[in-house]
């Protein structure tokens, strides 16, 4: 928000009634939190698909993908738990 960039789809912002002012606020509004939870849910679905696809990667190339999966999954968990 400080850099005038929002990485929340406009459709989600409208649905949750998130304003640009809310993005710049020093706290997370209930509207912004609702938008974040929508995006977390979407990400969860992508992670579930990705997890099932890891087994299709040749064994010798799988480790970096597994590491990245767990790293980014951990970031998502911290977003879920934050207020």
């Amino acid at each position: 928000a400080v850099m005038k960039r929002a990485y929340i789809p406009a459709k989600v912002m409208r649905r949750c009634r998130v304003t640009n002012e809310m993005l710049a606020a020093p706290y997370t509004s209930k509207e912004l939190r609702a938008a974040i939870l929508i995006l977390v849910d979407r990400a969860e679905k992508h992670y579930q698909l990705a997890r099932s696809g890891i087994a299709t990667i040749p064994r010798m190339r799988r480790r970096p993908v597994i590491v990245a999966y767990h790293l980014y999954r951990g970031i998502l968990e911290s977003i879920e738990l934050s207020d």
Side-chain angles (χ1 to χ4, degrees):
V2 174
M3 297 177 66
K4 308 278 188 221
R5 295 181 185 156
Y7 297 99
I8 300 173
K11 187 175 182 177
V12 173
M13 287 181 65
R14 284 190 303 274
R15 176 177 167 190
C16 296
R17 295 188 167 96
V18 174
T19 65
N20 289 330
E21 291 76 22
M22 289 174 186
L23 296 175
Y27 61 90
T28 304
S29 67
K30 65 180 186 204
E31 294 88 356
L32 180 55
R33 184 72 184 148
I36 291 168
L37 291 176
I38 288 171
L39 299 177
V40 164
D41 185 58
R42 280 187 197 172
E44 281 290 348
K45 291 173 183 164
H46 288 290
Y47 278 110
Q48 289 170 6
L49 284 172
R51 186 177 177 98
S52 65
I54 289 173
T56 66
I57 299 171
R59 185 177 294 281
M60 296 298 292
R61 297 172 191 235
R62 213 178 282 175
R63 182 178 288 273
V65 175
I66 292 170
V67 169
Y69 172 88
H70 287 289
L71 174 71
Y72 287 104
R73 184 66 192 86
I75 293 170
L76 183 63
E77 285 177 10
S78 69
I79 291 169
E80 287 177 286
L81 296 174
S82 69
D83 258 342

